[in-house]
Amino acid sequence: EKKQVLVTFVTKNANPRHHLPDGAPPMTVPADATRYGLSQIVNHLLNLDKIVPFEFLVKDEMLCSSLGSHISTRAISTEGVLEIEYFPAALPPTPRDDFVHDDWISCVSAIGPSSVPKRGSPSPPSAKEGWVLASGCYDGLVKFWNDSGEVVRQYVAHDYAIKSCAAIGSVQYLTTADDGSVHVWDVARVEGAPSGQDVGLVARLAGHRSSVECSSVRPDGERCVTSGWDKEILVWKAGESLASEAATAATAAT
C-alpha cells in the first residue's frame, strides 16, 4: 500500500480563480507525488478552464523532489496536516533572436538608449531607435547589436580574449582582456573596420598584472571597478571626468 500524506493546499496568489473554496477540508495525496502530480491535483480542485502549472513550497522550501523525499530529508512531521503553498510556475523564456558570433562569447552588456551611430551615419540615432546589446568575444572583437539582430558596429578592442565588458551610461564602454588590459571606449566613435582598433579609444587603464575577469560600473557612470587573477580590485575614474583627463593628456602630449 502506497504511503499517503494528509495535506492542505493554500496560496497567496492574488488571482481569485487560483483560490480554493474557504473551508476546503484536508486531503490525502500519495507520498511519491512530485510537483507535476500535485499540480494536476490542484488544477482538478480549482476546475480551471485551462491547465495552469504550479510550483509548491513545503515549510518555506521549494519542492524539487517527491513529497515523501522532501519530508524525509528534512525530518518534517506528518502526524498532523501538512500545509503546502502553491503558486503559478514561471514558464521558461522563449528565445526571440539568435546573435551569431565567430568565437566564444565572454560577456554581454546592454547600452541604451543607443548612442551608437549606424554604419555610414554621421550622428548618433535618436533614443526612439531603441536599445543596443553589446557582446565581447575571445577573438577580441566587440559587436553592438540593435533590437532587430543587426550588427550596428564592431571593432577589435583587444589583441587577446575579452573577458568582461560593461556599459558606462550610453556614452562609454569598458572592456577587459586576458592580457590584463582595461580599455574605455567612446561608443559613438568606434569604427566598423578591424584596423580601426584605436578609433574611439578614450583611455587605457594600466594596473593589472594578469587576466582581468570582471568589471562593474557605478550607477552614475563616474567610477568603474575591475578585478582579475592578480587578486587586485582596482577602482577607476570613468565617464566625463575620465574623458576630460584623457583629452587634457592627449593635448599635452602634442
Side-chain angles (χ1 to χ4, degrees):
E1 184 178 354
K2 286 188 176 182
K3 184 178 180 180
Q4 302 286 313
V5 182
L6 186 63
V7 304
T8 182
F9 292 103
V10 299
T11 187
K12 298 177 183 177
N13 192 284
N15 188 343
R17 290 184 56 80
H18 293 170
H19 288 211
L20 292 172
D22 292 337
M27 62 181 299
T28 57
V29 299
D32 61 359
T34 60
R35 183 201 67 82
Y36 179 74
L38 294 178
S39 187
Q40 286 183 310
I41 293 172
V42 172
N43 271 272
H44 176 73
L45 294 173
L46 294 174
N47 194 27
L48 298 174
D49 296 330
K50 185 178 179 180
I51 293 177
V52 176
F54 289 101
E55 299 280 5
F56 298 89
L57 289 175
V58 181
K59 296 295 183 180
D60 296 323
E61 288 192 45
M62 187 79 74
L63 180 66
C64 299
S65 60
S66 71
L67 181 59
S69 176
H70 187 94
I71 291 171
S72 176
T73 56
R74 291 159 180 80
I76 298 173
S77 173
T78 57
E79 292 183 2
V81 179
L82 181 63
E83 184 177 276
I84 300 179
E85 181 183 342
Y86 63 93
F87 55 93
L91 298 177
T94 302
R96 193 185 71 174
D97 292 303
D98 291 327
F99 297 163
V100 180
H101 295 70
D102 296 326
D103 209 334
W104 289 353
I105 303 169
S106 54
C107 58
V108 178
S109 181
I111 304 178
S114 175
S115 61
V116 183
K118 292 181 178 178
R119 290 179 180 175
S121 173
S123 60
S126 62
K128 68 180 181 180
E129 291 186 33
W131 293 67
V132 168
L133 184 71
S135 60
C137 293
Y138 269 55
D139 57 6
L141 194 67
V142 168
K143 292 184 179 182
F144 295 108
W145 309 78
N146 63 20
D147 54 9
S148 297
E150 301 170 326
V151 177
V152 179
R153 274 283 184 266
Q154 68 176 15
Y155 65 100
V156 176
H158 296 269
D159 295 328
Y160 291 80
I162 294 175
K163 302 307 291 285
S164 77
C165 53
I168 305 174
S170 59
V171 178
Q172 293 177 351
Y173 191 66
L174 172 74
T175 58
T176 73
D178 194 40
D179 62 346
S181 58
V182 179
H183 294 169
V184 176
W185 306 86
D186 181 334
V187 297
R189 293 192 291 117
V190 295
E191 294 291 340
S195 59
Q197 180 169 343
D198 292 338
V199 177
L201 182 64
V202 176
R204 291 184 175 91
L205 306 180
H208 283 288
R209 304 184 305 276
S210 187
S211 177
V212 185
E213 298 292 313
C214 57
S215 56
S216 185
V217 178
R218 203 168 73 181
D220 64 4
E222 290 301 308
R223 292 289 186 274
C224 58
V225 60
T226 57
S227 64
W229 284 104
D230 58 2
K231 301 181 182 180
E232 298 283 349
I233 298 176
L234 303 183
V235 180
W236 314 88
K237 289 183 179 180
E240 293 182 4
S241 59
L242 175 63
S244 177
E245 288 190 12
T248 300
T251 301
T254 59

